[in-house]
Amino acid sequence: MTLDDATFIAQIEALQDEMLQDTYYTTAKQQYAQKLLLAIKAYLISGTVDITGTSSQGAFTGTGNIS
């Protein structure tokens, strides 16, 4: 499964830069958690899955996206 590492790293770096500029600790913590969650979800969804197997109709292969 290939994941988009470069985009994930860029999102985390941007998030860290943004948090350094925030002066309200409590608000910044909540925003950090929410944006980190979104970055992780986007990273996981960026992957694709290659499948192979058999069914009652014979062998199959394919590529799918994670959603």
Side-chain angles (χ1 to χ4, degrees):
M1 177 167 74
T2 304
L3 296 170
D4 189 353
D5 293 348
T7 299
F8 181 71
I9 290 169
Q11 288 177 328
I12 299 306
E13 288 174 345
L15 178 56
Q16 290 171 335
D17 289 341
E18 185 179 336
M19 293 301 103
L20 286 173
Q21 297 171 12
D22 204 321
T23 56
Y24 298 102
Y25 178 71
T26 304
T27 304
K29 271 195 332 185
Q30 184 65 31
Q31 288 177 348
Y32 180 83
Q34 290 173 343
K35 290 181 179 187
L36 181 60
L37 173 65
L38 292 175
I40 291 170
K41 282 184 175 182
Y43 178 65
L44 294 175
I45 291 173
S46 74
T48 57
V49 179
D50 294 323
I51 58 169
T52 59
T54 58
S55 71
S56 60
Q57 298 175 346
F60 63 88
T61 61
T63 301
N65 293 322
I66 300 170
S67 60

